[in-house]
mmCIF file of all heavy atoms in Angstrom:
data_model
loop_
_atom_site.group_PDB
_atom_site.id
_atom_site.type_symbol
_atom_site.label_atom_id
_atom_site.label_comp_id
_atom_site.label_asym_id
_atom_site.label_seq_id
_atom_site.Cartn_x
_atom_site.Cartn_y
_atom_site.Cartn_z
ATOM 1 N N ARG L 2 -123.722 -222.282 -106.243
ATOM 2 C CA ARG L 2 -123.324 -221.057 -106.949
ATOM 3 C C ARG L 2 -124.385 -220.669 -107.969
ATOM 4 O O ARG L 2 -124.065 -220.318 -109.114
ATOM 5 C CB ARG L 2 -121.964 -221.264 -107.631
ATOM 6 C CG ARG L 2 -120.826 -221.598 -106.635
ATOM 7 C CD ARG L 2 -119.524 -221.672 -107.380
ATOM 8 N NE ARG L 2 -118.385 -221.833 -106.459
ATOM 9 C CZ ARG L 2 -117.854 -222.988 -106.118
ATOM 10 N NH1 ARG L 2 -118.358 -224.128 -106.605
ATOM 11 N NH2 ARG L 2 -116.819 -223.053 -105.294
ATOM 12 N N ALA L 3 -125.632 -220.738 -107.538
ATOM 13 C CA ALA L 3 -126.732 -220.451 -108.455
ATOM 14 C C ALA L 3 -126.646 -219.047 -109.025
ATOM 15 O O ALA L 3 -127.032 -218.795 -110.172
ATOM 16 C CB ALA L 3 -128.062 -220.643 -107.728
ATOM 17 N N SER L 4 -126.113 -218.105 -108.252
ATOM 18 C CA SER L 4 -126.021 -216.713 -108.718
ATOM 19 C C SER L 4 -124.993 -216.550 -109.820
ATOM 20 O O SER L 4 -124.954 -215.501 -110.503
ATOM 21 C CB SER L 4 -125.646 -215.794 -107.557
ATOM 22 O OG SER L 4 -124.381 -216.118 -107.022
ATOM 23 N N LEU L 5 -124.143 -217.579 -110.051
ATOM 24 C CA LEU L 5 -123.092 -217.494 -111.085
ATOM 25 C C LEU L 5 -123.448 -218.371 -112.287
ATOM 26 O O LEU L 5 -122.576 -218.616 -113.124
ATOM 27 C CB LEU L 5 -121.760 -217.924 -110.497
ATOM 28 C CG LEU L 5 -121.231 -217.093 -109.322
ATOM 29 C CD1 LEU L 5 -119.913 -217.704 -108.808
ATOM 30 C CD2 LEU L 5 -121.029 -215.653 -109.728
ATOM 31 N N ALA L 6 -124.685 -218.786 -112.387
ATOM 32 C CA ALA L 6 -125.070 -219.693 -113.482
ATOM 33 C C ALA L 6 -124.884 -219.084 -114.843
ATOM 34 O O ALA L 6 -124.695 -219.782 -115.843
ATOM 35 C CB ALA L 6 -126.510 -220.153 -113.289
ATOM 36 N N ASN L 7 -124.921 -217.754 -114.916
ATOM 37 C CA ASN L 7 -124.767 -217.069 -116.206
ATOM 38 C C ASN L 7 -123.561 -216.142 -116.199
ATOM 39 O O ASN L 7 -123.589 -215.093 -116.832
ATOM 40 C CB ASN L 7 -126.046 -216.277 -116.534
ATOM 41 C CG ASN L 7 -126.199 -216.032 -118.037
ATOM 42 O OD1 ASN L 7 -125.989 -216.932 -118.839
ATOM 43 N ND2 ASN L 7 -126.559 -214.806 -118.393
ATOM 44 N N THR L 8 -122.536 -216.551 -115.480
ATOM 45 C CA THR L 8 -121.371 -215.680 -115.264
ATOM 46 C C THR L 8 -120.081 -216.380 -115.625
ATOM 47 O O THR L 8 -119.889 -217.559 -115.328
ATOM 48 C CB THR L 8 -121.293 -215.264 -113.785
ATOM 49 O OG1 THR L 8 -122.522 -214.641 -113.415
ATOM 50 C CG2 THR L 8 -120.143 -214.294 -113.541
ATOM 51 N N LEU L 9 -119.197 -215.646 -116.297
ATOM 52 C CA LEU L 9 -117.816 -216.050 -116.532
ATOM 53 C C LEU L 9 -116.919 -215.264 -115.586
ATOM 54 O O LEU L 9 -117.054 -214.048 -115.468
ATOM 55 C CB LEU L 9 -117.401 -215.784 -117.973
ATOM 56 C CG LEU L 9 -115.968 -216.199 -118.374
ATOM 57 C CD1 LEU L 9 -115.946 -217.705 -118.620
ATOM 58 C CD2 LEU L 9 -115.524 -215.445 -119.629
ATOM 59 N N MET L 10 -116.040 -215.958 -114.853
ATOM 60 C CA MET L 10 -115.105 -215.288 -113.957
ATOM 61 C C MET L 10 -113.768 -215.119 -114.685
ATOM 62 O O MET L 10 -113.320 -216.035 -115.353
ATOM 63 C CB MET L 10 -114.896 -216.114 -112.694
ATOM 64 C CG MET L 10 -116.181 -216.504 -111.967
ATOM 65 S SD MET L 10 -117.121 -215.106 -111.351
ATOM 66 C CE MET L 10 -116.031 -214.498 -110.068
ATOM 67 N N TYR L 11 -113.151 -213.953 -114.527
ATOM 68 C CA TYR L 11 -111.889 -213.718 -115.247
ATOM 69 C C TYR L 11 -111.023 -212.736 -114.460
ATOM 70 O O TYR L 11 -111.486 -212.037 -113.522
ATOM 71 C CB TYR L 11 -112.143 -213.199 -116.650
ATOM 72 C CG TYR L 11 -112.671 -211.786 -116.723
ATOM 73 C CD1 TYR L 11 -111.840 -210.701 -117.003
ATOM 74 C CD2 TYR L 11 -114.033 -211.516 -116.525
ATOM 75 C CE1 TYR L 11 -112.318 -209.402 -117.067
ATOM 76 C CE2 TYR L 11 -114.534 -210.229 -116.610
ATOM 77 C CZ TYR L 11 -113.676 -209.175 -116.865
ATOM 78 O OH TYR L 11 -114.169 -207.877 -116.901
ATOM 79 N N TYR L 12 -109.752 -212.652 -114.833
ATOM 80 C CA TYR L 12 -108.828 -211.686 -114.256
ATOM 81 C C TYR L 12 -107.666 -211.499 -115.222
ATOM 82 O O TYR L 12 -107.362 -212.360 -116.052
ATOM 83 C CB TYR L 12 -108.338 -212.142 -112.873
ATOM 84 C CG TYR L 12 -107.653 -213.504 -112.849
ATOM 85 C CD1 TYR L 12 -106.261 -213.611 -112.999
ATOM 86 C CD2 TYR L 12 -108.387 -214.663 -112.667
ATOM 87 C CE1 TYR L 12 -105.644 -214.824 -112.960
ATOM 88 C CE2 TYR L 12 -107.768 -215.892 -112.632
ATOM 89 C CZ TYR L 12 -106.401 -215.986 -112.783
ATOM 90 O OH TYR L 12 -105.778 -217.215 -112.745
ATOM 91 N N GLY L 13 -107.023 -210.358 -115.107
ATOM 92 C CA GLY L 13 -105.872 -210.082 -115.954
ATOM 93 C C GLY L 13 -104.605 -210.729 -115.415
ATOM 94 O O GLY L 13 -104.301 -210.601 -114.231
ATOM 95 N N ASP L 14 -103.916 -211.447 -116.275
ATOM 96 C CA ASP L 14 -102.612 -212.012 -115.907
ATOM 97 C C ASP L 14 -101.498 -211.142 -116.443
ATOM 98 O O ASP L 14 -100.332 -211.483 -116.382
ATOM 99 C CB ASP L 14 -102.488 -213.435 -116.429
ATOM 100 C CG ASP L 14 -101.348 -214.204 -115.725
ATOM 101 O OD1 ASP L 14 -101.099 -213.909 -114.557
ATOM 102 O OD2 ASP L 14 -100.742 -215.078 -116.372
ATOM 103 N N PHE L 15 -101.861 -209.997 -116.988
ATOM 104 C CA PHE L 15 -100.903 -208.992 -117.424
ATOM 105 C C PHE L 15 -100.881 -207.854 -116.392
ATOM 106 O O PHE L 15 -101.737 -207.789 -115.514
ATOM 107 C CB PHE L 15 -101.280 -208.427 -118.807
ATOM 108 C CG PHE L 15 -102.579 -207.657 -118.786
ATOM 109 C CD1 PHE L 15 -102.592 -206.280 -118.590
ATOM 110 C CD2 PHE L 15 -103.788 -208.312 -118.989
ATOM 111 C CE1 PHE L 15 -103.795 -205.577 -118.574
ATOM 112 C CE2 PHE L 15 -105.001 -207.616 -118.972
ATOM 113 C CZ PHE L 15 -104.994 -206.238 -118.756
ATOM 114 N N GLY L 16 -99.913 -206.996 -116.497
ATOM 115 C CA GLY L 16 -99.854 -205.885 -115.569
ATOM 116 C C GLY L 16 -98.542 -205.153 -115.673
ATOM 117 O O GLY L 16 -97.880 -205.191 -116.737
ATOM 118 N N SER L 17 -98.145 -204.518 -114.578
ATOM 119 C CA SER L 17 -96.913 -203.721 -114.602
ATOM 120 C C SER L 17 -96.138 -203.904 -113.314
ATOM 121 O O SER L 17 -96.699 -204.166 -112.257
ATOM 122 C CB SER L 17 -97.262 -202.234 -114.757
ATOM 123 O OG SER L 17 -97.865 -201.986 -116.027
ATOM 124 N N GLU L 18 -94.820 -203.773 -113.441
ATOM 125 C CA GLU L 18 -93.932 -203.712 -112.310
ATOM 126 C C GLU L 18 -93.500 -202.256 -112.170
ATOM 127 O O GLU L 18 -93.148 -201.591 -113.144
ATOM 128 C CB GLU L 18 -92.718 -204.591 -112.502
ATOM 129 C CG GLU L 18 -91.666 -204.492 -111.413
ATOM 130 C CD GLU L 18 -90.417 -205.309 -111.714
ATOM 131 O OE1 GLU L 18 -90.364 -205.932 -112.796
ATOM 132 O OE2 GLU L 18 -89.521 -205.319 -110.869
ATOM 133 N N TYR L 19 -93.518 -201.736 -110.937
ATOM 134 C CA TYR L 19 -93.151 -200.345 -110.667
ATOM 135 C C TYR L 19 -91.980 -200.318 -109.686
ATOM 136 O O TYR L 19 -92.011 -200.974 -108.652
ATOM 137 C CB TYR L 19 -94.325 -199.587 -110.073
ATOM 138 C CG TYR L 19 -95.506 -199.448 -111.009
ATOM 139 C CD1 TYR L 19 -96.550 -200.352 -110.954
ATOM 140 C CD2 TYR L 19 -95.560 -198.429 -111.950
ATOM 141 C CE1 TYR L 19 -97.632 -200.242 -111.805
ATOM 142 C CE2 TYR L 19 -96.649 -198.293 -112.809
ATOM 143 C CZ TYR L 19 -97.671 -199.219 -112.739
ATOM 144 O OH TYR L 19 -98.745 -199.117 -113.602
ATOM 145 N N ALA L 20 -90.944 -199.550 -110.020
ATOM 146 C CA ALA L 20 -89.809 -199.356 -109.145
ATOM 147 C C ALA L 20 -89.806 -197.901 -108.646
ATOM 148 O O ALA L 20 -90.077 -196.977 -109.402
ATOM 149 C CB ALA L 20 -88.509 -199.645 -109.912
ATOM 150 N N PHE L 21 -89.486 -197.710 -107.373
ATOM 151 C CA PHE L 21 -89.536 -196.373 -106.789
ATOM 152 C C PHE L 21 -88.625 -196.319 -105.575
ATOM 153 O O PHE L 21 -88.159 -197.350 -105.065
ATOM 154 C CB PHE L 21 -90.977 -195.995 -106.407
ATOM 155 C CG PHE L 21 -91.634 -197.027 -105.542
ATOM 156 C CD1 PHE L 21 -91.584 -196.961 -104.152
ATOM 157 C CD2 PHE L 21 -92.313 -198.102 -106.106
ATOM 158 C CE1 PHE L 21 -92.165 -197.929 -103.381
ATOM 159 C CE2 PHE L 21 -92.906 -199.083 -105.334
ATOM 160 C CZ PHE L 21 -92.830 -198.992 -103.955
ATOM 161 N N ASP L 22 -88.374 -195.093 -105.101
ATOM 162 C CA ASP L 22 -87.433 -194.851 -103.996
ATOM 163 C C ASP L 22 -88.195 -194.295 -102.799
ATOM 164 O O ASP L 22 -89.011 -193.374 -102.939
ATOM 165 C CB ASP L 22 -86.367 -193.871 -104.461
ATOM 166 C CG ASP L 22 -85.390 -193.537 -103.371
ATOM 167 O OD1 ASP L 22 -85.719 -192.741 -102.453
ATOM 168 O OD2 ASP L 22 -84.265 -194.078 -103.420
ATOM 169 N N LEU L 23 -87.938 -194.848 -101.602
ATOM 170 C CA LEU L 23 -88.466 -194.294 -100.355
ATOM 171 C C LEU L 23 -87.290 -194.036 -99.432
ATOM 172 O O LEU L 23 -86.644 -194.973 -98.958
ATOM 173 C CB LEU L 23 -89.421 -195.287 -99.686
ATOM 174 C CG LEU L 23 -90.677 -195.735 -100.465
ATOM 175 C CD1 LEU L 23 -91.452 -196.758 -99.649
ATOM 176 C CD2 LEU L 23 -91.541 -194.550 -100.826
ATOM 177 N N ASP L 24 -86.989 -192.772 -99.213
ATOM 178 C CA ASP L 24 -85.901 -192.360 -98.314
ATOM 179 C C ASP L 24 -84.602 -193.084 -98.607
ATOM 180 O O ASP L 24 -83.903 -193.608 -97.718
ATOM 181 C CB ASP L 24 -86.303 -192.616 -96.850
ATOM 182 C CG ASP L 24 -87.283 -191.565 -96.333
ATOM 183 O OD1 ASP L 24 -87.459 -190.541 -97.028
ATOM 184 O OD2 ASP L 24 -87.877 -191.790 -95.269
ATOM 185 N N GLY L 25 -84.248 -193.145 -99.879
ATOM 186 C CA GLY L 25 -82.955 -193.700 -100.270
ATOM 187 C C GLY L 25 -82.932 -195.197 -100.459
ATOM 188 O O GLY L 25 -81.891 -195.759 -100.845
ATOM 189 N N LYS L 26 -84.025 -195.874 -100.180
ATOM 190 C CA LYS L 26 -84.099 -197.319 -100.381
ATOM 191 C C LYS L 26 -85.102 -197.612 -101.472
ATOM 192 O O LYS L 26 -86.170 -196.977 -101.537
ATOM 193 C CB LYS L 26 -84.509 -198.016 -99.093
ATOM 194 C CG LYS L 26 -84.351 -199.529 -99.143
ATOM 195 C CD LYS L 26 -84.609 -200.168 -97.787
ATOM 196 C CE LYS L 26 -84.380 -201.661 -97.812
ATOM 197 N NZ LYS L 26 -84.619 -202.294 -96.488
ATOM 198 N N GLU L 27 -84.780 -198.540 -102.325
ATOM 199 C CA GLU L 27 -85.593 -198.787 -103.506
ATOM 200 C C GLU L 27 -86.401 -200.057 -103.397
ATOM 201 O O GLU L 27 -85.940 -201.058 -102.868
ATOM 202 C CB GLU L 27 -84.694 -198.796 -104.751
ATOM 203 C CG GLU L 27 -84.128 -197.411 -105.030
ATOM 204 C CD GLU L 27 -82.737 -197.466 -105.645
ATOM 205 O OE1 GLU L 27 -82.396 -198.511 -106.197
ATOM 206 O OE2 GLU L 27 -82.022 -196.461 -105.536
ATOM 207 N N TYR L 28 -87.614 -199.987 -103.897
ATOM 208 C CA TYR L 28 -88.580 -201.072 -103.781
ATOM 209 C C TYR L 28 -89.268 -201.280 -105.126
ATOM 210 O O TYR L 28 -89.182 -200.471 -106.034
ATOM 211 C CB TYR L 28 -89.656 -200.735 -102.752
ATOM 212 C CG TYR L 28 -89.143 -200.483 -101.353
ATOM 213 C CD1 TYR L 28 -88.676 -199.234 -100.985
ATOM 214 C CD2 TYR L 28 -89.135 -201.504 -100.395
ATOM 215 C CE1 TYR L 28 -88.218 -199.005 -99.692
ATOM 216 C CE2 TYR L 28 -88.677 -201.282 -99.113
ATOM 217 C CZ TYR L 28 -88.214 -200.028 -98.770
ATOM 218 O OH TYR L 28 -87.763 -199.796 -97.492
ATOM 219 N N THR L 29 -89.958 -202.408 -105.221
ATOM 220 C CA THR L 29 -90.829 -202.651 -106.373
ATOM 221 C C THR L 29 -92.211 -203.052 -105.886
ATOM 222 O O THR L 29 -92.408 -203.510 -104.757
ATOM 223 C CB THR L 29 -90.295 -203.771 -107.285
ATOM 224 O OG1 THR L 29 -90.186 -204.975 -106.510
ATOM 225 C CG2 THR L 29 -88.958 -203.419 -107.885
ATOM 226 N N THR L 30 -93.181 -202.857 -106.755
ATOM 227 C CA THR L 30 -94.530 -203.368 -106.526
ATOM 228 C C THR L 30 -95.100 -203.768 -107.866
ATOM 229 O O THR L 30 -94.552 -203.421 -108.918
ATOM 230 C CB THR L 30 -95.416 -202.324 -105.848
ATOM 231 O OG1 THR L 30 -96.656 -202.925 -105.484
ATOM 232 C CG2 THR L 30 -95.707 -201.138 -106.749
ATOM 233 N N PHE L 31 -96.177 -204.528 -107.842
ATOM 234 C CA PHE L 31 -96.808 -205.032 -109.068
ATOM 235 C C PHE L 31 -98.295 -204.691 -109.058
ATOM 236 O O PHE L 31 -98.935 -204.681 -108.010
ATOM 237 C CB PHE L 31 -96.623 -206.548 -109.184
ATOM 238 C CG PHE L 31 -95.202 -207.003 -109.344
ATOM 239 C CD1 PHE L 31 -94.418 -207.269 -108.236
ATOM 240 C CD2 PHE L 31 -94.668 -207.174 -110.597
ATOM 241 C CE1 PHE L 31 -93.127 -207.675 -108.365
ATOM 242 C CE2 PHE L 31 -93.356 -207.599 -110.744
ATOM 243 C CZ PHE L 31 -92.581 -207.858 -109.632
ATOM 244 N N VAL L 32 -98.811 -204.444 -110.244
ATOM 245 C CA VAL L 32 -100.244 -204.208 -110.439
ATOM 246 C C VAL L 32 -100.719 -205.176 -111.506
ATOM 247 O O VAL L 32 -100.131 -205.234 -112.602
ATOM 248 C CB VAL L 32 -100.552 -202.773 -110.852
ATOM 249 C CG1 VAL L 32 -102.021 -202.639 -111.262
ATOM 250 C CG2 VAL L 32 -100.234 -201.801 -109.726
ATOM 251 N N ALA L 33 -101.729 -205.951 -111.199
ATOM 252 C CA ALA L 33 -102.320 -206.849 -112.206
ATOM 253 C C ALA L 33 -103.406 -206.105 -112.928
ATOM 254 O O ALA L 33 -104.188 -205.375 -112.350
ATOM 255 C CB ALA L 33 -102.893 -208.094 -111.519
ATOM 256 N N GLY L 34 -103.492 -206.316 -114.259
ATOM 257 C CA GLY L 34 -104.518 -205.662 -115.054
ATOM 258 C C GLY L 34 -104.242 -204.182 -115.180
ATOM 259 O O GLY L 34 -103.103 -203.754 -115.342
ATOM 260 N N SER L 35 -105.305 -203.393 -115.059
ATOM 261 C CA SER L 35 -105.203 -201.947 -115.238
ATOM 262 C C SER L 35 -104.967 -201.256 -113.926
ATOM 263 O O SER L 35 -105.451 -201.684 -112.879
ATOM 264 C CB SER L 35 -106.485 -201.401 -115.885
ATOM 265 O OG SER L 35 -106.745 -202.053 -117.133
ATOM 266 N N LEU L 36 -104.234 -200.152 -113.964
ATOM 267 C CA LEU L 36 -103.971 -199.323 -112.798
ATOM 268 C C LEU L 36 -105.244 -198.598 -112.374
ATOM 269 O O LEU L 36 -105.928 -198.000 -113.210
ATOM 270 C CB LEU L 36 -102.873 -198.327 -113.121
ATOM 271 C CG LEU L 36 -102.335 -197.477 -111.966
ATOM 272 C CD1 LEU L 36 -101.660 -198.366 -110.928
ATOM 273 C CD2 LEU L 36 -101.324 -196.473 -112.519
ATOM 274 N N SER L 37 -105.588 -198.693 -111.093
ATOM 275 C CA SER L 37 -106.790 -198.025 -110.559
ATOM 276 C C SER L 37 -106.411 -196.888 -109.646
ATOM 277 O O SER L 37 -105.423 -196.988 -108.903
ATOM 278 C CB SER L 37 -107.657 -199.034 -109.804
ATOM 279 O OG SER L 37 -108.658 -198.376 -109.048
ATOM 280 N N SER L 38 -107.151 -195.809 -109.678
ATOM 281 C CA SER L 38 -106.845 -194.632 -108.840
ATOM 282 C C SER L 38 -107.085 -194.897 -107.363
ATOM 283 O O SER L 38 -106.697 -194.086 -106.517
ATOM 284 C CB SER L 38 -107.676 -193.445 -109.306
ATOM 285 O OG SER L 38 -109.059 -193.739 -109.204
ATOM 286 N N SER L 39 -107.732 -196.019 -107.043
ATOM 287 C CA SER L 39 -107.965 -196.357 -105.635
ATOM 288 C C SER L 39 -107.481 -197.782 -105.331
ATOM 289 O O SER L 39 -107.915 -198.382 -104.346
ATOM 290 C CB SER L 39 -109.442 -196.223 -105.293
ATOM 291 O OG SER L 39 -110.232 -197.088 -106.117
ATOM 292 N N GLY L 40 -106.595 -198.296 -106.161
ATOM 293 C CA GLY L 40 -106.103 -199.661 -105.985
ATOM 294 C C GLY L 40 -105.103 -199.772 -104.823
ATOM 295 O O GLY L 40 -104.722 -198.795 -104.211
ATOM 296 N N ARG L 41 -104.711 -201.011 -104.564
ATOM 297 C CA ARG L 41 -103.735 -201.295 -103.485
ATOM 298 C C ARG L 41 -102.437 -201.794 -104.089
ATOM 299 O O ARG L 41 -102.436 -202.555 -105.072
ATOM 300 C CB ARG L 41 -104.320 -202.332 -102.525
ATOM 301 C CG ARG L 41 -105.387 -201.743 -101.596
ATOM 302 C CD ARG L 41 -106.174 -202.808 -100.884
ATOM 303 N NE ARG L 41 -105.365 -203.629 -99.990
ATOM 304 C CZ ARG L 41 -105.054 -203.311 -98.713
ATOM 305 N NH1 ARG L 41 -105.490 -202.160 -98.217
ATOM 306 N NH2 ARG L 41 -104.345 -204.115 -97.978
ATOM 307 N N LEU L 42 -101.352 -201.394 -103.468
ATOM 308 C CA LEU L 42 -100.011 -201.757 -103.931
ATOM 309 C C LEU L 42 -99.283 -202.536 -102.835
ATOM 310 O O LEU L 42 -99.048 -201.992 -101.752
ATOM 311 C CB LEU L 42 -99.198 -200.495 -104.280
ATOM 312 C CG LEU L 42 -99.809 -199.571 -105.335
ATOM 313 C CD1 LEU L 42 -98.946 -198.313 -105.460
ATOM 314 C CD2 LEU L 42 -99.917 -200.276 -106.670
ATOM 315 N N PRO L 43 -98.925 -203.789 -103.066
ATOM 316 C CA PRO L 43 -98.154 -204.543 -102.089
ATOM 317 C C PRO L 43 -96.669 -204.194 -102.161
ATOM 318 O O PRO L 43 -96.093 -204.115 -103.255
ATOM 319 C CB PRO L 43 -98.404 -205.998 -102.498
ATOM 320 C CG PRO L 43 -98.673 -205.925 -103.979
ATOM 321 C CD PRO L 43 -99.316 -204.593 -104.226
ATOM 322 N N ILE L 44 -96.054 -203.945 -101.039
ATOM 323 C CA ILE L 44 -94.645 -203.533 -100.999
ATOM 324 C C ILE L 44 -93.907 -204.406 -99.968
ATOM 325 O O ILE L 44 -94.239 -204.369 -98.782
ATOM 326 C CB ILE L 44 -94.476 -202.039 -100.627
ATOM 327 C CG1 ILE L 44 -95.210 -201.151 -101.687
ATOM 328 C CG2 ILE L 44 -93.012 -201.650 -100.556
ATOM 329 C CD1 ILE L 44 -95.258 -199.690 -101.317
ATOM 330 N N ASP L 45 -92.947 -205.154 -100.422
ATOM 331 C CA ASP L 45 -92.181 -206.068 -99.564
ATOM 332 C C ASP L 45 -91.134 -205.262 -98.791
ATOM 333 O O ASP L 45 -89.981 -205.170 -99.195
ATOM 334 C CB ASP L 45 -91.525 -207.148 -100.410
ATOM 335 C CG ASP L 45 -90.849 -208.209 -99.571
ATOM 336 O OD1 ASP L 45 -91.066 -208.218 -98.345
ATOM 337 O OD2 ASP L 45 -90.117 -209.027 -100.146
ATOM 338 N N ARG L 46 -91.515 -204.706 -97.650
ATOM 339 C CA ARG L 46 -90.643 -203.817 -96.882
ATOM 340 C C ARG L 46 -89.418 -204.509 -96.309
ATOM 341 O O ARG L 46 -88.354 -203.925 -96.242
ATOM 342 C CB ARG L 46 -91.447 -203.176 -95.770
ATOM 343 C CG ARG L 46 -92.640 -202.381 -96.215
ATOM 344 C CD ARG L 46 -93.487 -201.980 -95.015
ATOM 345 N NE ARG L 46 -92.740 -201.141 -94.098
ATOM 346 C CZ ARG L 46 -93.110 -200.888 -92.851
ATOM 347 N NH1 ARG L 46 -94.211 -201.462 -92.375
ATOM 348 N NH2 ARG L 46 -92.387 -200.117 -92.088
#
């Protein structure tokens, strides 16, 4: 990992839970860190 010799790796353990409705059924998803305009949202269908 020579390319990481001067690098600290990190990630946000904070975030948000979002609740929403799709055709009468309600779901949640989570976002870690900051919300991104091109991020991905996992939805347990």
Side-chain angles (χ1 to χ4, degrees):
R2 299 184 174 95
S4 63
L5 300 177
N7 203 43
T8 305
L9 181 79
M10 308 296 293
Y11 71 99
Y12 57 93
D14 198 31
F15 65 92
S17 295
E18 176 184 1
Y19 296 94
F21 52 91
D22 178 283
L23 301 177
D24 284 348
K26 191 173 183 179
E27 292 148 20
Y28 301 85
T29 59
T30 188
F31 295 87
V32 171
S35 303
L36 187 64
S37 167
S38 59
S39 60
R41 285 166 63 85
L42 302 174
I44 300 173
D45 186 12
R46 301 171 61 196

